[in-house]
């Protein structure tokens, strides 16, 4: 008797809080768009595909925003959606083991550069710029998908091994071995294509 | 410095730059690098290569994409309760 009816104000407050959280989520996600695009662009072969992939990612993210835990890594959460969508698109190429590019040792590219200009050439500050930027983009896109995904996430997206493992849903040991092999494959490809 | 040491140092290259080695392995790599120009040059090369790959591969978002993404919002900026 005489109890104030608190149900309605509580409900109104809950709705207002949720709306505010949702707006904040959308704004934080949009602030990461450039970084998300940067990774997406290297997952696919054209700018148009990357734009589509990012738009599909954000459409899904905005719909399922409540499954994001505030305070966790939002960029990794978005990339998880993006990599799943990319796999679903089914454009990834399955390669037979004999189609893998040849993997060389870690010093291979530096050795090849040194062969053309002498050992001292490696002391020059900008020696890596002998490789054209286009050749780097081409070499990256020629990596087998599983290797490229890890190299792109860690070396271009700046994700930790742990984040990359979570995004790709693979064990951290697999991230490390694919990353190390992927980088060696990348250098071997650059050595073949970029040094004339 | 022996070829074996350089081979071992080469195997530590990626872990070293990723800061993923144990203290013992870091000490082992650094001891070798201190006395070996050959490996030191290759470590430095790898470091600049990583930076260069990152900058070469970074492509900015095309103009207009951010607006398209903003249109996918379920809450319009105009409906913001803040």
């Amino acid at each position: 008797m005489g109890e104030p009816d608190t149900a309605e104000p509580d409900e109104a407050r809950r709705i207002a809080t949720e709306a505010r959280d949702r707006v904040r989520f959308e704004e934080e996600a949009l602030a990461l768009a450039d970084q998300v695009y940067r990774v997406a662009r290297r997952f696919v072969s054209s700018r148009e595909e990357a734009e589509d992939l990012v738009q599909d990612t954000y459409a899904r993210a905005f719909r399922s925003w409540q499954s994001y835990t505030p305070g966790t890594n939002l960029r990794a959460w978005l990339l998880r959606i993006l990599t799943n969508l990319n796999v679903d698109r089914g454009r990834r190429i399955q390669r037979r083991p004999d189609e893998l590019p040849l993997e060389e040792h870690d010093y291979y590219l530096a050795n090849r550069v040194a062969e053309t200009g002498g050992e001292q050439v490696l002391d020059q500050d900008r020696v890596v710029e002998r490789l054209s930027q286009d050749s780097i983009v081409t070499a990256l896109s020629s990596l087998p998908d599983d290797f490229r995904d890890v190299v792109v996430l860690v070396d271009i997206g700046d994700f930790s091994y742990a984040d990359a493992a979570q995004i790709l849903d693979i064990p951290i040991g697999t991230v490390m071995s694919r990353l190390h092999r992927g980088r060696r494959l990348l250098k071997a490809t650059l050595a073949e294509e970029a040094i004339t | 410095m022996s070829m074996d040491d350089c081979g071992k140092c080469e195997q530590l290259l990626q872990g070293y730059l990723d800061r993923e080695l144990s203290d013992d392995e870091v000490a082992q790599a650094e001891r070798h690098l201190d006395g070996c120009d050959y490996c030191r040059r290759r470590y430095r090369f790898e470091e600049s290569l990583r930076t260069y790959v990152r900058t070469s591969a970074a492509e900015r978002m095309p103009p207009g994409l951010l607006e398209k993404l903003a249109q996918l919002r379920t809450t319009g900026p105009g409906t913001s309760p803040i």
Side-chain angles (χ1 to χ4, degrees):
Chain A
M1 276 163 269
E3 282 285 307
D5 181 6
T6 55
E8 257 179 48
D10 276 358
E11 178 64 5
R13 204 174 304 129
R14 195 191 61 75
I15 290 170
T17 306
E18 184 180 303
R20 216 165 30 237
D21 288 351
R22 190 167 195 165
V23 168
R24 187 179 308 134
F25 169 85
E26 290 178 350
E27 282 169 358
E28 285 173 9
L30 285 172
L32 296 168
D34 194 52
Q35 294 176 60
V36 171
Y37 177 82
R38 213 167 275 208
V39 173
R41 179 64 189 90
R42 298 279 80 95
F43 278 168
V44 297
S45 52
S46 73
R47 176 192 281 200
E48 290 70 27
E49 276 180 277
E51 281 201 60
D52 285 349
L53 191 53
V54 172
Q55 290 192 64
D56 292 349
T57 300
Y58 274 78
R60 184 174 290 189
F62 289 156
R63 275 200 310 273
S64 49
W65 70 285
Q66 276 170 316
S67 66
Y68 167 71
T69 312
T72 59
N73 188 335
L74 178 56
R75 196 167 66 97
W77 187 84
L78 291 167
L79 259 301
R80 174 84 197 256
I81 295 178
L82 188 139
T83 51
N84 285 338
L85 286 170
N86 192 34
V87 169
D88 291 348
R89 288 154 73 96
R91 300 234 181 110
R92 295 158 66 82
I93 306 155
Q94 299 300 323
R95 297 178 206 226
R96 299 198 312 271
D98 61 341
E99 292 173 323
L100 286 181
L102 192 63
E103 185 178 338
E104 299 283 355
H105 293 280
D106 264 309
Y107 285 173
Y108 183 71
L109 177 60
N111 289 344
R112 292 291 307 275
V113 170
E115 270 169 34
T116 64
E119 186 68 14
Q120 307 293 329
V121 79
L122 293 176
D123 289 336
Q124 293 168 11
D125 277 348
R126 305 164 85 84
V127 64
V128 293
E129 292 176 26
R130 289 173 176 226
L131 311 163
S132 76
Q133 299 202 330
D134 281 351
S135 70
I136 287 179
V137 168
T138 309
L140 264 175
S141 66
S142 78
L143 290 182
D145 294 329
D146 288 345
F147 295 96
R148 192 212 39 233
D149 288 352
V150 179
V151 172
V152 167
L153 286 173
V154 175
D155 284 348
I156 291 148
D158 250 333
F159 283 105
S160 67
Y161 293 177
D163 283 339
Q166 218 181 6
I167 290 168
L168 299 170
D169 201 18
I170 54 176
I172 202 159
T174 309
V175 168
M176 289 170 71
S177 64
R178 284 187 191 169
L179 178 65
H180 290 191
R181 283 195 66 193
R183 286 170 177 158
R184 286 196 288 269
L185 289 167
L186 181 72
K187 286 187 281 185
T189 310
L190 283 171
E192 299 318 315
E193 287 171 11
I195 299 177
T196 46
Chain B
M1 181 239 334
S2 76
M3 282 311 285
D4 278 356
D5 287 343
C6 293
K8 176 68 187 158
C9 196
E10 179 173 8
Q11 283 170 25
L12 297 176
L13 167 73
Q14 293 200 38
Y16 184 86
L17 293 181
D18 287 347
R19 294 190 166 75
E20 290 291 333
L21 298 185
S22 67
D23 292 349
D24 276 358
E25 287 171 320
V26 170
Q28 193 185 356
E30 288 180 350
R31 229 178 4 254
H32 177 77
L33 287 168
D34 271 349
C36 181
D37 285 346
Y38 177 87
C39 286
R40 208 163 47 235
R41 285 189 177 114
R42 280 153 184 78
Y43 268 53
R44 234 180 5 236
F45 178 86
E46 182 82 8
E47 221 177 352
S48 354
L49 179 68
R50 286 193 184 184
T51 310
Y52 190 58
V53 166
R54 177 168 316 193
T55 52
S56 302
E59 200 173 299
R60 293 199 65 86
M61 183 165 55
L65 179 58
L66 189 61
E67 286 68 27
K68 286 184 206 160
L69 298 179
Q71 280 164 17
L72 298 170
R73 291 176 70 160
T74 53
T75 62
T79 64
S80 167
I82 294 173

